[in-house]
Amino acid sequence: MSGSQAATPWMKRSANPKLDRVMVTPEGVPLNVTIAPAGARVGALLLDLVMIQLISMFIALLCIVLAIPFLDGETDFQNLDGPLGLIAVFYLIASFLLLNGYFIFFELGYKSATWGKRAVGIRVASRDGSRLTAEAVIARNIVRSVELFLPLTFLDSVEAGGSLVDLTAWAGLLWLLMFMLFPLFNKDRLRGGDVIAGTWVIQDVKKNLGDIVAPSALAPEGAAPAASYQFSDEDLSVYGEYELQTLENVLRGDQEEALEKVAAAICQKIGWEPGSGDERIFLEAYYTALRARLERSMRFGRRRKDKFSAEEQAGG
Amino acid sequence: MSNEQALNAAVLRSDRFRLEREADWIRLEAIVTRMEKGQARLLSDEDVLALPTLYRTLLSSLSIARENSLDAGLIDYLEGLALRSYFMVYGTQSSFRRWLGSFFGGGWSRAVRAIQFDIWVALLVMIAGAVIGYILVAGDSDWFYALVPADFMDVRVPGASEEALRGTLFGAQEEGGLAVFAAFLFSNNAQVALLAFALGFAFAIPSILLLIHNMALLGAMLWVFAQRGLTVDFVGWLSIHGTTELFAILLAGAAGIHVGRSIAFPGAQSHLKAASDAGKRAALVMAGVIFMLICAGLLEGFARQMIDNTIARFGVGGGMLLLWLIYFFGFGREGRRPDA
């Protein structure tokens, strides 16, 4: 799960490097995964609780609407019978299934995520890179009842009043806090259910394939406006991979202002006179030349991280 | 500009590499997006068959790109797509029906046999709980009011007359509300069972306490009926659903103890590994427990009120117990030779 940055240049560096992990697929290719931060987890949970509340209100309304035709003054709610009995049974079973089945049902799907998790872009996965089994999903969600629903019932009892009840409420609050803060005290942000099920929650990545970064370089030989720029070796030796990828972001972003600023900075660095009006073409040409140079060295096993470092021979 | 021309014109080798393979990546992405939306059925047969191949091609593209390309956007895209398709290829692909088949076809009973030791522990704890409840109430009947929640009492309190108690056992109440009663009992018992399992997380001690408390209640009730010589009738009344319900609670408690024990004493494995292995085994047992509690709820809601004599009640209760035992200890065994 660890590896020095130098040894594995492909290791991703996300906003919070502490949450970056490597998962090796059965094919032996290491993939970068990022653990979902605690904030995303809480957000997803709150969304799901709101969702459950809405569904349960809908079920209750449905039952009331269905029951109205059968109600009269003498209805005995202790011994419901006939159609009313059926409605009551439906309500009880549906409530139970909603509370215990909501998470399990959605996490068994292809997305391995509830609606709340989908909304914040996270998903459940098995910790060792194997298949996420139904057993694991069931286990992680049964434990939720102890982590969340049980202490909430403690807190609910506050309305009854009395000092002992206050004590219960405090105990419930303490309990809730203990389990809620549990993920913050381990490096993989596991909650109790994750520990028992061997799962973790990771960020879902959905990136679009952008266009070629410097399309002007694709123009037929000689006809490209970019071809009018010729960079010497010195001009290209001032930057490394980090700067190249920053330039890539600028080109992909395509903001007039940023392009001008970067073009000026590069011209200053390599001692050119900055022209104006065709910054984009200039930058694309420079980007292409720099990338060609760096990739060539890469094929010989030499990588240069950024402008401050010298080229490194891999394994050297 | 066509792809062909673009390929020829690309200055950078890594761009050429990308243009050559782009079509496959985009096709894979379309398949994966379809599947994520739950529309796997709409995929053509070629697409389904191509998925693993496309996935492996993508992994090799990713490995090559990492070594040869400095196009960060491209590598990010490939990383993301690789992870997404990995989850599709190795995702939870057992459909619910197939999982159910394997579950009842031996998976459940195997899981139950795997936690045998914990079942014996839970059984001892439950028997102890019932005995404790009985002895406490026998020593001082005020204990009864401490053990039994008020809504259970009605007439079943220490000192109640024989007729009153007999009435609770055989006074077949009017048929009204049986189904509602059954559903209510099911969801209530299921929550207790789920709790017994989940509390295993805290080294199983709360699971054990929960079992003891629930059984002490039963022991206390038993004493009330035993005082009036109704022991056998009470046990019969209880057995009709109790053999199933108590068995389910026994398994739930055992599952909790199993998890707690693995966390406390992981043996040669790491704590996390031991906990997750135990958790998955126990979860399988728990899924079965819910099923048993549904059966128990039906038996309790209907059969108990309809069958009004002790012999038949023992028959149904014993029959159910036998069924469960045969299923758990005879079903889904592998590699049994007929001559062994």
Side-chain angles (χ1 to χ4, degrees), chain B residues 191-211:
Chain B
Q191 290 298 2
V192 170
L194 290 177
L195 209 59
F197 162 71
L199 285 169
F201 186 67
F203 304 121
I205 293 161
S207 303
I208 292 176
L209 292 178
L210 194 70
L211 287 182

Side-chain angles (χ1 to χ4, degrees), chain A residues 27 30 32 79-80 100 108 129 131-132 135 142 146 196-198 205 207 210 217-218 245 248 252 291 295 298, chain B residues 9 11 14-15 18 55 66-67 70-73 77 79 84 86 90-92 99 174 177 197-198 276 280:
Chain A
E27 291 81 10
N32 290 310
N79 278 328
L80 287 173
N100 293 289
L108 281 177
R131 203 178 282 273
L132 177 66
E135 289 83 75
I142 292 180
V146 173
I196 288 192
V205 259
K207 288 263 176 16
L218 293 183
Q245 280 160 6
E248 177 191 332
R252 282 188 195 278
R291 192 168 129 192
E295 283 179 357
M298 227 165 121
Chain B
V11 176
S14 49
D15 277 350
R18 168 194 159 152
Y55 161 70
R66 277 170 175 170
E67 296 304 325
L70 286 172
D71 185 343
Y77 166 78
E79 290 262 9
R84 278 168 66 198
Y86 161 83
Y90 292 100
T92 42
W99 182 80
E174 66 272 24
F197 162 71
S276 65
K280 285 179 204 163

Side-chain angles (χ1 to χ4, degrees), chain B residues 286-310:
Chain B
M286 284 310 295
V289 165
I290 297 298
F291 171 72
M292 285 174 87
L293 286 171
I294 294 173
C295 297
L298 292 175
L299 284 169
E300 186 165 11
F302 297 97
R304 188 175 71 187
Q305 311 298 346
M306 293 173 189
I307 302 174
D308 221 14
N309 70 74
T310 302

Side-chain angles (χ1 to χ4, degrees), chain A residues 161-187:
Chain A
S163 61
L164 184 71
V165 175
D166 270 354
L167 199 70
T168 318
W170 280 113
L173 194 63
L174 196 71
W175 178 304
L176 193 65
L177 275 179
M178 193 171 79
F179 279 111
M180 285 277 142
L181 295 177
F182 186 89
L184 294 176
F185 291 101
N186 62 67
K187 63 181 189 349

Side-chain angles (χ1 to χ4, degrees), chain B residues 7 21 90 114 123 149 206 218 222 235 248 261-262 274 288 302 306 312 318 330:
Chain B
L7 245 173
R21 289 166 179 74
Y90 292 100
L123 186 63
L218 189 77
L222 187 64
V235 173
R261 200 165 56 93
S262 309
F302 297 97
M306 293 173 189

Side-chain angles (χ1 to χ4, degrees), chain A residues 15-34:
Chain A
N16 183 357
K18 270 196 200 144
L19 294 179
D20 289 343
R21 300 283 179 279
V22 172
M23 187 181 72
V24 180
T25 67
E27 291 81 10
V29 177
L31 292 181
N32 290 310
V33 296
T34 308

